[in-house]
Amino acid sequence: MKHLELTSLQIKEKILSKEIQAVDVIKHLFEWIKETEPNVQAYITTTEEESLRKAEEIDKKVKNNERVGLLAGIPIAIKDNICTKNLLTTCASQILKNFIPPYDAFVINRLKEEDAIIIGKTNLDEFAMGSSTENSSYKETRNPWDLERVPGGSSGGSAAAVASNLAFMALGSETGGSIRQPAAMCGVVGVKPTYGRVSRYGLIAFGSSLDQIGTLTKDIKDAAVLLQVISGHDACDSTSAPVPVPDYLHGIDSGINGLKIGIPKEYFADGLNTDIQKAIKDALGIYEKLGAEIIDISLPHTEYAVATYYLVATAEASSNLARYDGVRYGLRAGSEGGIVSMYCRTRSEGFGNEVKRRVMLGNYALSAGYYDAYYLKASKVRTLIKNDFDAAFEKVDCIICPTSPVPAFKIGERTNNPLEMYLTDVYTIPANLAGIPGISIPCGFSREGLPIGMQILGRYFEEKRLLQIAHTFEAETNFHLKTPPLKDPRWCRG
Amino acid sequence: MEYEVVIGLETHAELSTLTKLFCGCSTKFGVEPNTQVCPVCLGMPGVLPVMNKKAFEYSLKSALALHCEINKFTNFDRKSYYYPDLPKNYQISQNYYNLGVNGYMTIEVNGSTKKIRIHNVHLEEEAGKLIHPEEIGTNYSLVDFNRAGVPLLEIVSYPDMRGVDEVDSYMQTLRKILLYMDVSDCKMQEGSLRFEASISLREKGSDKLGNRVEIKNLNSMKAVIKAIEYEVGRQSKLLDRGETVARETRLWDAVTERSERMRSKEEAQDYRYFPEPDLLPVLIDEKWLHEIKGTIPELPLDRKLRFVEVFKLSDYDSGILTEEKVFADFFEECVKILNRPKAISNWIINDLLREVKDRKLDIHNLPIKPKQLASLIEIIEKGTISSTIAKEVFSEMIQSGKNPHAIIEEKKLAQISDESLIESIIEKVIATNPEAIEDYKKGKKNALSFLMGQVMKETKGKANPKIVNELLKGKVGV
Amino acid sequence: MIDKKLIEYVASLSRLELTRDEEEMFMNQLTDILSYIEKLRKLNTEDVKPMAYPLNKSNVFREDKLCPSTSKEEILANAPAKIDAFFKVPKVIE
Ligand SMILES: [Zn+2]
């Protein structure tokens, strides 16, 4: 099963050259899933039969020398808040425990057009609300590097699946760091594109002005090809940008000579784990050696980002989640009472505590008499945070900082204190508020052997530049090649 | 005590676009339940709205026709409330930057005009339909989402109306304007035009507004008037007794003709408006505004006044002609071809409208063209047919869509003006009615009319009556 | 900062019914979060424009063109309760 450790592009190459059949890849993969999934618990749903059928189709195409798509035969996992036609889509919530979408998300259509094989739907924090995947109402996904720790979140299932070779690549989504943070904690590459780069059509909304679909992959080239496939304008999403999509792989290795890297002092403040601080410092040393210029910058409103985020995101969420009322789809409880009691029972039974907390916070921030002090105030501070980035990008080409202030923490360690959990996203949230793109790449390990992620932020729609910058580092290091010790009996609790 | 009534109206008009506001589902009325629904208008998880350009332009057009200032920056807001016919449990509407504000509409009451100010005009989405089965003991309601997402224009007036006459005129005028612009079919029975009234009373002469009561569930213009009359009575009684009127929302019951309290001010809903992040703002520039302005036709009241002025028609006739744009257009087309406004107006009002009513014709697809009516009138004026025959020809034109010339030819309806032919008929009539000549000679003047009638009968009414009269007089020796 | 009356109001806006214990828990947690959020008050934002849309874009429209609707079977497939072609809900009284 050695080939499960290959990257997506490598396995595709082998399928196309007929060195291996797509069907065999799927078979091996599902054997590995059966063996490993009980430990990692990355998936809510898997689709073995359908995957085999699709793999046969691709093998036939290859055999007949027919044209195949960019992702031919690559097994991909999808975060379970992205709608898949005729395939259960739960958002890790009881309220959607039986929801079968009658349509495919834009990104799913694109994947299917490019012959990717969707192997399952991955676990997440309920409605993507969380930073550890502990808020799933289905299962507790574990960090493949240490099964007693969280994988990060909310795209924890996708990150853990890619890290443990349970998928070759995965889609995740971000509202406040939900791709980059679990990517960092699981030691994989996570890309959060510019707001508007990838259509949100079919992504179950959390915070509509922040949400964006992105990628989790084993390396940068895989990220480039997956991003290539899912990017582009969609007439069904008014907020999708009609900006041309460049060829992300082309010139990915063209280097970083003359690159100006900004280092925001606010991101190296109290609370930053010292191993992480050191890993980032070492990484900057490598960049400098490769010809980059390191420039100290300031993003003065960083300390307000978390507060701003928890008003904007929850306000939007409170209205986005109003539709789960037991009328048209999903769970219904308490129909013996009147309509209002049916609403209340359905939502009280269907939502977990974190969702309830955020929906209440959001409704409070929008309610009569509080709108100006909370929602409107936060919208204004959001402008200040965006202005910080605009000013910085006049001086530098990209910003490098830690993705998360801490490596993966223990399961249950932060669940009793929501505020402490929210602060986990302190470094990722500003990019979502501004709408700029960001990548997290593996850049080292903590003294406990946990992966450390480095974040690279860029200007609007400069994903290609970010991929080049990240690839340059990846080519010089081998952090991304390390795989978690899943075969180690110490970790196998079954 | 004597009170002044202060009334404002909120109007909802469904726009007559082909598709819904945010998806491509049809807006057709009266189809099988839940067959014009897609994930978008059902508010399924993950879907997003995309604005129908025509709906937006119709709204802009309406706001301009109501003399509103147009916000150069306008956007959409979410209005949150739970109701099973509202798929997302929020309605996409406008609150902070309505597309039109501070307008007015001129109404006419008892021959004089008055401006009613418009507070705002905005665009929002329609809800679905909730059905309450009538069987006793049912503990459920049913929902049909076919209407959900149909574009809905809301027009909010200032409380500038002072009585039901003004309210009636406001409703009629607004309806006519929307119909004239072809932006809504305004069918109250199908719910595509709806009104809500807010009413307060104050002592005559006072400028302090009384507590306002809102009335909902008004399904016809008649209901609006009745509900206001009822409310005025209710409030005056309260005030007469020295009690205060509670600020509340009441529900009109058209059957009992009474209203019931629905909710008090304290229970007022907290709509939690905030900018809809799934739709982007709309910036409106001068060029676009100019384009839209170019599509606004002359409005009914202006047109009526012009008809009186230019064509010297009566106020009453102009009113009837401009009631429906189709007929006003028809009239003007005719006048362009044949400059006989009075005759044309008479034909439209007396004959065309009657035929339309009797035959239940589709006014947007009339079987007669302006050119045809004009040539009919021309034929009458030339004396080719009498006006009595003309009625017959007109009816045939409506029936068959043929030109009047063809009908006259086919049915040989042209007047006989050949004097020698008429003379020979007169001689025949005199020969067969000698007693009539005797009577005439004895002084019975009406004997002449009898003979005249006999000649017309012989010619099936086609003889030119003027010639018959002259020749007959010569024959009997007057 | 968040008292019992307010938490009840916010829960009702959210269409949630909370047990006594949940009320207590959420009241404390939301109070914590809101006191953290208080830091925004320090910032003077008087002349700052609010940012509701991260994308610098406007005037996105679709043409008024018909698209086929979804079949009523598919539309009703996820319905928790239905009668004929209708969604069924507990009786709604105006
Ligand atoms: Zn639809």
Side-chain angles (χ1 to χ4, degrees):
Chain A
M1 277 189 243
K2 183 84 178 115
H3 58 255
L4 291 184
E5 291 182 4
L6 297 176
T7 68
S8 298
L9 285 176
Q10 286 165 345
I11 199 76
K12 177 182 129 186
E13 207 46 54
K14 290 196 187 297
I15 293 169
L16 295 189
S17 66
K18 299 177 192 145
E19 192 183 325
I20 187 166
Q21 291 204 321
V23 167
D24 291 325
V25 176
I26 294 296
K27 280 181 185 158
H28 292 157
L29 183 69
F30 274 93
E31 278 166 36
W32 178 235
I33 288 176
K34 267 159 216 148
E35 186 182 335
T36 311
E37 174 64 5
N39 292 329
V40 179
Q41 306 203 60
Y43 288 98
I44 291 178
T45 307
T46 51
T47 57
E48 186 171 3
E49 267 175 49
E50 177 62 20
S51 298
L52 280 169
R53 206 194 50 74
K54 178 78 187 165
E56 277 167 19
E57 216 175 83
I58 288 155
D59 285 334
K60 201 179 282 172
K61 278 192 193 176
V62 172
K63 200 175 150 210
N64 298 336
N65 293 318
E66 284 172 51
R67 202 201 75 87
V68 291
L70 274 174
L71 303 177
I74 301 174
I76 184 166
I78 309 295
K79 189 178 182 180
D80 206 21
N81 61 348
I82 297 173
C83 286
T84 41
K85 188 172 179 172
N86 299 332
L87 178 60
L88 184 69
T89 301
T90 67
C91 249
S93 180
Q94 290 304 310
I95 215 155
L96 286 177
K97 65 174 181 185
N98 51 7
F99 176 60
I100 313 278
Y103 76 103
D104 270 329
F106 172 88
V107 291
I108 299 298
N109 271 326
R110 295 290 298 117
L111 294 180
K112 288 181 176 174
E113 280 163 19
E114 297 297 343
D115 290 326
I117 301 177
I118 293 166
I119 50 170
K121 306 291 294 283
T122 56
N123 199 19
L124 64 150
D125 287 298
E126 184 178 5
F127 283 98
M129 295 178 181
S131 312
S132 66
T133 315
E134 288 166 291
N135 296 330
S136 166
S137 75
Y138 293 89
K139 48 177 63 175
E140 201 170 72
T141 300
R142 293 153 193 171
N143 193 312
W145 295 89
D146 178 348
L147 296 175
E148 287 174 6
R149 291 176 186 266
V150 301
S154 66
S155 311
S158 286
V162 173
S164 51
N165 298 327
L166 291 165
F168 279 80
M169 46 174 41
L171 288 185
S173 74
E174 274 220 9
T175 307
S178 282
I179 290 171
R180 286 166 290 157
Q181 189 255 31
M185 290 187 173
C186 290
V188 298
V189 173
V191 178
K192 179 250 165 212
T194 309
Y195 183 84
R197 175 76 295 177
V198 178
S199 168
R200 292 186 290 121
Y201 192 80
L203 169 65
I204 298 182
F206 159 15
S208 311
S209 77
L210 302 151
D211 293 343
Q212 190 65 189
I213 294 173
T215 65
L216 291 125
T217 55
K218 295 177 182 180
D219 73 357
I220 294 294
K221 282 189 176 171
D222 280 4
V225 69
L226 183 51
L227 190 61
Q228 191 81 52
V229 168
I230 62 171
S231 294
H233 182 246
D234 174 16
C236 292
D237 175 1
S238 307
T239 66
S240 141
V243 176
V245 182
D247 184 335
Y248 290 127
L249 269 179
H250 179 80
I252 200 161
D253 46 10
S254 47
I256 53 139
N257 212 1
L259 182 76
K260 290 180 180 161
I261 300 175
I263 307 300
K265 64 169 189 269
E266 293 80 6
Y267 283 61
F268 294 86
D270 294 347
L272 177 59
N273 171 291
T274 51
D275 293 351
I276 295 178
Q277 187 157 18
K278 182 174 178 303
I280 303 288
K281 211 178 145 210
D282 292 349
L284 289 172
I286 293 175
Y287 274 117
E288 220 167 0
K289 196 186 77 196
L290 294 170
E293 185 186 346
I294 310 291
I295 298 166
D296 287 327
I297 59 164
S298 169
L299 299 166
H301 296 96
T302 302
E303 66 161 309
Y304 303 104
V306 172
T308 301
Y309 173 82
Y310 276 93
L311 289 171
V312 173
T314 60
E316 292 179 0
S318 70
S319 108
N320 282 330
L321 271 62
R323 70 189 66 192
Y324 306 103
D325 60 3
V327 173
R328 283 146 290 118
Y329 41 74
L331 179 78
R332 173 184 290 190
S335 19
E336 52 288 337
I339 186 88
V340 176
S341 114
M342 189 276 276
Y343 286 156
C344 293
R345 294 247 186 98
T346 298
R347 293 166 63 80
S348 301
E349 279 182 29
F351 290 144
N353 280 344
E354 185 58 32
V355 173
K356 289 178 186 172
R357 198 149 39 230
R358 296 198 195 190
V359 166
M360 286 195 285
L361 181 57
N363 273 319
Y364 176 67
L366 290 173
S367 65
Y370 296 101
Y371 179 86
D372 285 4
Y374 290 113
Y375 177 80
L376 190 64
K377 179 82 182 183
S379 300
K380 289 177 171 185
V381 179
R382 193 174 175 187
T383 301
L384 298 176
I385 289 165
K386 177 201 183 302
N387 291 348
D388 281 357
F389 281 112
D390 286 349
F393 286 126
E394 298 211 341
K395 285 182 259 168
V396 298
D397 302 311
C398 72
I399 292 168
I400 287 185
C401 55
T403 308
S404 164
V406 289
F409 44 87
K410 289 258 168 70
I411 290 170
E413 193 182 307
R414 297 185 177 211
T415 39
N416 291 328
N417 188 340
L419 185 58
E420 195 190 356
M421 186 73 96
Y422 296 173
L423 291 168
T424 313
D425 295 334
V426 60
Y427 298 150
T428 47
I429 278 173
N432 298 84
L433 288 169
I436 57 170
I439 298 189
S440 178
I441 54 170
C443 74
F445 290 88
S446 71
R447 63 196 73 173
E448 311 103 303
L450 298 167
I452 291 171
M454 165 173 72
Q455 177 171 225
I456 314 170
L457 304 175
R459 300 186 187 103
Y460 293 98
F461 299 103
E462 289 198 358
E463 286 82 1
K464 187 177 166 95
R465 188 81 180 112
L466 291 187
L467 290 165
Q468 286 170 344
I469 297 165
H471 184 264
T472 306
F473 180 81
E474 191 183 80
E476 285 294 313
T477 57
N478 56 9
F479 302 115
H480 65 289
L481 297 176
K482 293 228 168 111
T483 47
L486 277 167
K487 291 280 189 187
D488 189 326
R490 272 184 303 160
W491 305 125
C492 295
R493 320 192 291 189
Chain B
M1 205 176 314
E2 237 193 303
Y3 301 107
E4 185 178 39
V5 188
V6 177
I7 308 159
L9 285 185
E10 263 181 46
T11 309
H12 284 98
E14 287 183 354
L15 296 175
S16 48
T17 51
L18 200 57
T19 66
K20 293 186 179 181
L21 188 51
F22 300 121
C23 64
C25 289
S26 168
T27 57
K28 197 161 172 259
F29 183 83
V31 302
E32 207 196 325
N34 292 309
T35 52
Q36 282 171 185
V37 183
C38 70
V40 174
C41 55
L42 194 67
M44 278 215 165
V47 298
L48 297 168
V50 185
M51 176 76 58
N52 182 333
K53 186 167 192 189
K54 187 168 254 173
F56 188 86
E57 293 194 328
Y58 277 3
S59 312
L60 210 49
K61 192 171 165 180
S62 308
L64 286 167
L66 297 172
H67 307 98
C68 285
E69 295 161 21
I70 304 297
N71 266 319
K72 301 278 178 270
F73 172 100
T74 181
N75 69 347
F76 292 83
D77 298 300
R78 292 185 181 176
K79 176 183 184 179
S80 293
Y81 64 92
Y82 275 83
Y83 212 68
D85 64 4
L86 188 67
K88 304 180 291 291
N89 287 317
Y90 60 81
Q91 180 193 31
I92 301 181
S93 179
Q94 300 192 284
N95 182 57
Y96 298 110
Y97 298 93
N98 290 305
L99 64 88
V101 292
N102 297 330
Y104 68 86
M105 183 176 77
T106 308
I107 62 168
E108 216 183 14
V109 182
N110 304 325
S112 54
T113 59
K114 178 177 177 180
K115 276 183 185 175
I116 306 296
R117 289 172 303 151
I118 304 292
H119 182 274
N120 77 74
V121 172
H122 67 260
L123 176 59
E124 58 189 26
E125 58 179 332
E126 178 71 290
K129 196 175 159 207
L130 206 54
I131 294 144
H132 309 286
E134 279 174 24
E135 300 94 79
I136 297 176
T138 50
N139 58 350
Y140 59 85
S141 300
L142 301 171
V143 204
D144 169 13
F145 289 101
N146 279 346
R147 304 311 294 160
V150 167
L152 196 60
L153 188 70
E154 182 169 342
I155 300 154
V156 184
S157 88
Y158 276 95
D160 284 356
M161 285 162 268
R162 296 291 172 269
V164 286
D165 287 357
E166 292 181 12
V167 170
D168 192 52
S169 176
Y170 178 92
M171 293 190 292
Q172 301 287 358
T173 310
L174 184 55
R175 180 176 171 273
K176 249 188 274 177
I177 290 178
L178 297 175
L179 283 172
Y180 253 63
M181 296 195 301
D182 230 355
V183 297
S184 172
D185 64 14
C186 294
K187 290 182 184 163
M188 288 199 79
Q189 69 280 13
E190 292 181 4
S192 65
L193 182 68
R194 310 192 289 268
F195 297 97
E196 284 170 24
S198 67
I199 302 145
S200 64
L201 259 52
R202 63 181 167 202
E203 236 175 273
K204 252 216 164 108
S206 156
D207 56 359
K208 219 182 97 200
L209 280 173
N211 274 345
R212 203 176 56 168
V213 171
E214 282 174 51
I215 318 268
K216 287 180 185 284
N217 197 34
L218 303 169
N219 294 323
S220 66
M221 293 197 189
K222 214 172 85 189
V224 176
I225 300 297
K226 285 213 160 148
I228 292 174
E229 283 168 344
Y230 174 86
E231 186 59 21
V232 170
R234 195 185 69 85
Q235 290 190 19
S236 354
K237 261 183 233 152
L238 284 172
L239 295 173
D240 282 345
R241 287 199 300 248
E243 294 173 31
T244 50
V245 174
R247 267 192 79 167
E248 61 190 15
T249 302
R250 300 178 70 85
L251 217 53
W252 178 249
D253 184 332
V255 178
T256 61
E257 300 196 336
R258 298 166 66 88
S259 63
E260 292 280 354
R261 196 178 91 172
M262 186 178 145
R263 60 172 172 257
S264 68
K265 186 192 164 228
E266 288 70 37
E267 295 157 340
Q269 303 207 33
D270 187 343
Y271 288 126
R272 289 154 284 154
Y273 283 105
F274 78 101
E276 164 58 282
D278 289 334
L279 290 168
L280 296 173
V282 180
L283 309 179
I284 302 163
D285 60 14
E286 282 306 319
K287 186 171 159 276
W288 194 11
L289 271 186
H290 188 77
E291 266 173 46
I292 300 292
K293 273 182 192 155
T295 67
I296 299 175
E298 184 183 18
L299 296 180
L301 187 57
D302 298 335
R303 200 169 197 186
K304 176 183 143 180
L305 297 175
R306 181 168 61 85
F307 278 15
V308 172
E309 163 107 18
V310 174
F311 302 119
K312 311 291 175 216
L313 299 179
S314 72
D315 188 79
Y316 179 79
D317 286 356
S318 302
I320 294 181
L321 284 178
T322 54
E323 183 72 31
E324 297 267 12
K325 182 167 175 291
V326 174
F327 296 113
D329 287 347
F330 195 96
F331 169 78
E332 291 210 74
E333 282 294 307
C334 287
V335 175
K336 253 187 234 161
I337 299 163
L338 181 73
N339 190 18
R340 294 284 185 280
K342 185 65 198 162
I344 293 165
S345 159
N346 286 342
W347 272 97
I348 294 176
I349 293 172
N350 299 327
D351 301 277
L352 181 55
L353 289 178
R354 183 179 42 77
E355 291 281 359
V356 164
K357 198 174 156 226
D358 290 352
R359 297 176 193 255
K360 297 188 170 62
L361 299 176
D362 171 11
I363 62 164
H364 297 286
N365 221 340
L366 289 173
I368 183 171
K369 300 285 163 283
K371 206 175 144 192
Q372 293 173 312
L373 179 59
S375 45
L376 179 64
I377 294 169
E378 212 167 9
I379 291 166
I380 300 164
E381 295 202 340
K382 270 192 196 146
T384 311
I385 53 171
S386 67
S387 50
T388 321
I389 296 284
K391 303 272 172 194
E392 198 185 321
V393 173
F394 182 78
S395 181
E396 182 61 28
M397 287 163 74
I398 296 282
Q399 178 105 33
S400 65
K402 286 181 186 159
N403 286 325
H405 287 292
I407 294 166
I408 291 165
E409 183 91 345
E410 217 170 86
K411 301 205 157 181
K412 308 213 174 349
L413 294 171
Q415 281 193 8
I416 302 166
S417 304
D418 179 340
E419 293 194 12
S420 59
L421 181 62
I422 293 176
E423 203 166 347
S424 73
I425 294 165
I426 290 176
E427 276 164 9
K428 199 172 135 199
V429 166
I430 290 175
T432 48
N433 296 287
E435 67 285 4
I437 304 288
E438 289 304 307
D439 286 351
Y440 182 75
K441 284 180 176 160
K442 280 179 197 155
K444 285 192 179 169
K445 294 289 178 206
N446 61 357
L448 198 64
S449 323
F450 170 76
L451 290 170
M452 176 99 186
Q454 290 302 305
V455 174
M456 295 311 278
K457 201 175 160 190
E458 277 294 308
T459 60
K460 294 193 174 96
K462 290 182 290 185
N464 184 324
K466 219 168 121 197
I467 297 171
V468 175
N469 197 33
E470 263 165 37
L471 290 176
L472 199 56
K473 277 179 182 166
K475 282 282 170 202
V476 298
V478 179
Chain C
M1 197 149 124
I2 295 229
D3 56 19
K4 195 166 148 33
K5 206 175 147 211
L6 192 54
I7 199 92
E8 277 171 4
Y9 176 64
V10 174
S12 83
L13 279 183
S14 310
R15 293 292 185 275
L16 292 171
E17 54 181 21
L18 304 180
T19 62
R20 199 67 57 81
D21 288 349
E22 284 172 331
E23 243 173 40
E24 189 72 23
M25 174 184 76
F26 287 128
M27 208 158 73
N28 293 334
Q29 290 170 338
L30 290 179
T31 300
D32 269 4
I33 295 164
L34 285 168
S35 52
Y36 174 77
I37 285 169
E38 277 302 296
K39 64 159 67 188
L40 294 184
R41 285 185 198 258
K42 283 196 297 187
L43 277 174
N44 180 359
T45 51
E46 213 171 306
D47 301 321
V48 181
K49 272 195 178 170
M51 173 178 174
Y53 309 97
L55 208 62
N56 188 13
K57 199 180 145 200
S58 60
N59 298 43
V60 177
F61 295 106
R62 46 175 272 273
E63 294 305 315
D64 186 25
K65 276 207 192 102
L66 276 175
C67 278
S69 295
T70 309
S71 77
K72 115 191 138 191
E73 289 72 27
E74 276 184 286
I75 283 299
L76 288 153
N78 281 291
K82 59 192 163 193
I83 294 185
D84 302 328
F86 292 101
F87 291 87
K88 181 184 168 190
V89 295
K91 196 168 188 69
V92 181
I93 309 144
E94 288 271 77

